[in-house]
Amino acid sequence: NCWFLYEAVVSTQSTGGEWKNRDFANRVIQDTHGAWSDLMAGKTAGEDAASIATHNTAVPNSKGNISVDEASDVIKSQPEPKEMAPPVDGSTQNQVFVSRTVPEKVCC
């Protein structure tokens, strides 16, 4: 299981044709986590913010935290889907995998 020999990276098409480094990736992760934390705390602004369901059983201090029993009730109250979702168009996928270039042995 040497899955980490390959690193998922954002395609250069979405970053103006240049590869991004670890600092860029860390900033994206921090920004995304900050936005998620604000959403879970109910601090997200905007006209669509109120329509985003944040019900969860795993984030104790979040605005949408509910018990497992309440979550079961929410799931049971949902209508059965009328049809399966359409397949995802492959052209929307924006990840490529590149071989690691570091010389150290990383597995096996």
Side-chain angles (χ1 to χ4, degrees):
N1 293 336
C2 296
W3 61 267
F4 46 86
L5 283 175
Y6 299 94
E7 297 180 19
V9 296
V10 177
S11 167
T12 58
Q13 293 174 344
S14 64
T15 59
E18 64 183 79
W19 293 99
K20 300 297 182 180
N21 60 19
R22 178 181 12 178
D23 293 335
F24 176 82
N26 284 331
R27 278 194 308 276
V28 169
I29 292 167
Q30 289 170 350
D31 291 348
T32 303
H33 180 69
W36 177 82
S37 295
D38 288 347
L39 175 66
M40 296 306 289
K43 298 179 185 175
T44 304
E47 59 189 54
D48 294 331
S51 67
I52 300 173
T54 58
H55 296 92
N56 72 86
T57 59
V59 186
N61 296 322
S62 66
K63 181 182 173 189
N65 184 257
I66 59 176
S67 71
V68 172
D69 289 338
E70 290 171 306
S72 293
D73 291 342
V74 169
I75 292 170
K76 289 175 188 173
S77 72
Q78 300 303 307
E80 288 293 322
K82 294 179 182 171
E83 58 185 61
M84 296 299 290
V88 176
D89 182 355
S91 67
T92 63
Q93 304 305 307
N94 207 17
Q95 272 189 344
V96 294
F97 291 88
V98 295
S99 295
R100 288 182 59 114
T101 56
V102 291
E104 76 264 15
K105 186 175 180 177
V106 293
C107 74
C108 309

